[in-house]
Amino acid sequence: MTFTAHINVMPLKELLDPQGKAVMSGLKNLGISHVQDVRIGKHITLQIDAATKEEAEKLASDACQKLLANQVMESFEVHIQ
Amino acid sequence: MTFTAHINVMPLKELLDPQGKAVMSGLKNLGISHVQDVRIGKHITLQIDAATKEEAEKLASDACQKLLANQVMESFEVHIQ
């Protein structure tokens, strides 16, 4: 069975996010001034062959820990559909 | 009131995603071989000051159309919390 894993990899809250700061000033220059904070990370979708949802979730977490997220600077969350 | 907009900006399905292809071959090299497809986009969170959820959603879509997504190559979805 094929499951879709939706993974968000975001910079840790404690760290500066220069890309987010640049986008926030870009939004202000475009006249969108109600935005207080912007943070930018990655959204990754994996199509996983697995027998159960739990197995798919385990594979996706494994992929995050080994390759997709740098846990020194980033946190990740996994949702399976 | 402050709302959090979660925005996913993904490359259109019809287009090649070279970053995703590179990650897929990386996963295979690490022994994670049950993954059929990988697509990589951006996950953006905005903190928006707005009176209602609808207003926040409108502001977030506006920001996507004007700056965050290139609609020739990317699609976006917005969730407000």
Side-chain angles (χ1 to χ4, degrees):
Chain A
M1 204 173 151
T2 304
F3 295 90
T4 304
H6 292 270
I7 299 168
N8 292 328
V9 179
M10 297 298 288
L12 292 176
K13 284 200 184 70
E14 297 77 21
L15 300 179
L16 270 179
D17 176 11
Q19 199 183 358
K21 292 279 169 277
V23 164
M24 193 160 77
S25 81
L27 288 173
K28 286 207 195 308
N29 291 341
L30 287 169
I32 301 173
S33 55
H34 296 276
V35 177
Q36 299 296 304
D37 192 34
V38 181
R39 291 192 82 80
I40 299 185
K42 285 176 286 185
H43 183 74
I44 303 166
T45 58
L46 305 179
Q47 303 290 335
I48 300 176
D49 265 349
T52 63
K53 195 172 166 177
E54 286 70 32
E55 196 185 320
E57 192 158 359
K58 197 172 160 296
L59 266 167
S61 297
D62 202 29
C64 285
Q65 282 163 19
K66 285 189 182 165
L67 184 68
L68 302 175
N70 169 4
Q71 289 190 277
V72 176
M73 298 170 58
E74 295 169 327
S75 63
F76 66 86
E77 48 186 37
V78 176
H79 303 279
I80 305 286
Q81 269 176 5
Chain B
M1 205 173 151
T2 303
F3 295 90
T4 303
H6 292 270
I7 299 168
N8 291 329
V9 179
M10 297 298 287
L12 292 176
K13 284 200 184 69
E14 297 77 21
L15 299 179
L16 269 178
D17 176 12
Q19 197 184 355
K21 292 279 169 278
V23 164
M24 195 160 77
S25 82
L27 288 174
K28 285 205 196 309
N29 291 342
L30 288 169
I32 301 172
S33 56
H34 296 275
V35 176
Q36 298 299 302
D37 191 34
V38 181
R39 291 191 82 79
I40 299 185
K42 284 174 288 185
H43 183 74
I44 303 166
T45 58
L46 305 178
Q47 302 291 336
I48 301 176
D49 264 349
T52 64
K53 196 171 165 178
E54 286 70 32
E55 196 186 320
E57 192 157 1
K58 199 174 160 293
L59 266 166
S61 298
D62 202 28
C64 286
Q65 281 163 20
K66 286 188 181 166
L67 184 68
L68 303 175
N70 170 6
Q71 289 189 278
V72 176
M73 298 171 58
E74 296 168 326
S75 64
F76 65 86
E77 48 186 37
V78 177
H79 303 280
I80 304 286
Q81 270 176 4

